[in-house]
Amino acid sequence: MTAPPAKDRRAVARRLHTVPAALAGYRAPLHPGARTGLPAAPRHVAGTAARIATAAVAELPD
């Protein structure tokens, strides 16, 4: 198995670099609810995960 081209590795690295900020943005509005015993609904979490997966796949090089 050969390594992917450098441009593909750079594209993946750019996307991975944005993950911490994206997760922080997702967590921020959940903290008040968690502190008061109202965590996010499973449907909300599943929907967000699906949107992230869709966006990640859309960004993959051909």
Side-chain angles (χ1 to χ4, degrees), residues 6-58:
K7 69 178 181 131
D8 293 347
R9 292 191 307 270
R10 286 191 300 271
V12 169
R14 278 193 305 274
R15 286 192 300 277
L16 288 175
H17 184 72
T18 66
V19 169
L23 290 175
Y26 173 72
R27 280 191 309 261
L30 298 177
H31 281 249
R35 281 193 297 270
T36 61
L38 298 170
R43 184 178 58 177
H44 174 75
V45 174
T48 300
R51 286 190 299 280
I52 291 169
T54 300
V57 170

